[in-house]
Amino acid sequence: MLETLKTPGDTSWFTHDRFGLFIHWGLYALGARHEWLKNNEKITNEVYDEKYFKRFDPDLYDPNLWAKAASGAGMKYFVITTKHHEGFCLWDSKHTDYKATNTPAKRDLLSPMVDAFRSRDMRVGFYHSVIDWHHPHYVIDDRIGPYRTAENKDELNKGRDQNKYADYLHAQVRELLTQFGKVDVLWFDFSYPFKDNPADHTRGKSKLAWRSEELYKMIRELAPHIMLDDRLDLPDGWDMKTPEQFQPREWVTVNGQPVVWEGCQTFSGSWGYHRDEQSWKSTEQLIIMLIDSVSKGGNLLLNVGPTARGEFDERALERLNGIGEWMRRHSRSIYGCTQAPAGFKAPQDCRLTYNPTTKRMYVHVLSWPFGGTGTAPIHLDGFRGKVDYAQLLNDGSELMMRDPVNHHGAGTASSTSEEDSIRVMVPIRKPNVTVPVIELFMK
Ligand code: GLC
């Protein structure tokens, strides 16, 4: 098994559970056209708050339904945006008025969410934006934020003190780590240092803008076990790498060493609720994304952007149901699994996952093979003499194993060393599941 870089947090449950729900929920749900709309359309605080803060009223919000949908999909943890870049807080923070309790929602939305997910045995994660486009002391820079191109930027920055913003950030993180029971994941987003001068907060935001080192100390004091992401601009101390909106081509490494990693992905491109986006991924694509992540030793954090009325929309629910339908029969090829040990080669159009505790190998067949009468072969290179028994995972039906055949003159059965290969014979008709999986009991 590949050893990952040792980090301070508790990664053991994380690399077992593999699958989590990301939730982006804030005022931008009303705009319904990307959580960055305030930045993208350069909307002033006044206009933004007049339109959205004053109208935020999620009357259909029932976090039990959210937790049910997530747990039904096989997810084991969730990460909620306690505050996104817009600065709006879902909980009743002592340090700001810019919070759910002061909108027509008139209540803390975070606590009931945490309770609902915990009651389904799901772990709790907080995403917290270090970027803040609302706080009066956040120094306006020319890189991002609604005021980035304002002609009177210098004027707007008069009296702003980034240090005071950092105090606010630290105080809020303290609240989050002390008022909601055990928090398992802390997911900060994000630093964008101005390389020539990391101390110039008007050009970018480095670890100096957040006083990351001091913040880090406090976090480890309050929650030594916590899984921390890698976006505080600190070289060490993080527990996971967080590739965003792409699938790494192999196990993510840092200085050549494999690390714990979690890919975060959306259903459709936007993180916040986006009504008109047409680029929704299919259930099959999402299941393959999960399989692909685990086959490379990683996790998948899949995002839902609930609506302004507090619901998961039907497109998200449809996909979560579809994933859950697959997970019901195939989750043991995901939980506790990781990349296959060296030497085992994934067959054509397949991914391998491996559970080192049960010593079972899973062949996820992304494209069903053809050929033969009654059965078709899947060629497994590197498996000769190593498999005890094979079955389809969806129904536990036995699959026959055979040695490779050599079709003289008609190409070879396998392009690599044949002495190393076996064939597993599968029915020519694809099982009626989104991605069929072959379970191999290894010797
Ligand atoms: C980004 C975006 C953001 C999203 C996040 C999730 O960096 O700023 O809107 O919350 O990634 O990873």
Side-chain angles (χ1 to χ4, degrees), residues 22 24 34-36 81 84-85 127 131 133 187 189-190 231 242 244-245 264 271-272:
F22 216 170
H24 277 64
H34 204 279
E35 76 286 353
W36 274 59
T81 51
H84 202 261
H85 308 335
Y127 164 111
I131 295 172
W133 299 330
W187 218 107
D189 196 33
F190 62 78
R231 299 189 180 185
T242 56
E244 178 178 328
Q245 305 259 42
C264 50
W271 299 89

Side-chain angles (χ1 to χ4, degrees), residues 34-100:
H34 204 279
E35 76 286 353
W36 274 59
L37 87 159
K38 190 178 184 190
N39 169 87
N40 297 348
E41 300 171 24
K42 298 180 185 160
I43 305 174
T44 63
N45 285 341
E46 292 68 32
V47 171
Y48 198 80
D49 295 345
E50 198 56 44
K51 283 172 88 172
Y52 308 135
F53 184 77
K54 290 202 175 150
R55 294 198 174 92
F56 186 63
D57 186 13
D59 58 328
L60 300 176
Y61 173 52
D62 179 352
N64 295 305
L65 297 178
W66 296 12
K68 189 173 168 215
S71 134
M75 292 158 162
K76 294 287 193 186
Y77 61 102
F78 85 113
V79 178
I80 170 73
T81 51
T82 49
K83 178 189 86 162
H84 202 261
H85 308 335
E86 64 178 0
F88 175 70
C89 299
L90 288 183
W91 82 105
D92 190 12
S93 172
K94 266 210 311 277
H95 308 286
T96 184
D97 294 331
Y98 205 50
K99 55 186 174 182

Side-chain angles (χ1 to χ4, degrees), residues 170-187:
H170 292 206
Q172 287 208 319
V173 171
R174 181 175 287 279
E175 283 185 336
L176 291 170
L177 296 185
T178 53
Q179 296 178 6
F180 298 89
K182 187 177 178 214
V183 180
D184 302 285
V185 176
L186 192 53
W187 218 107

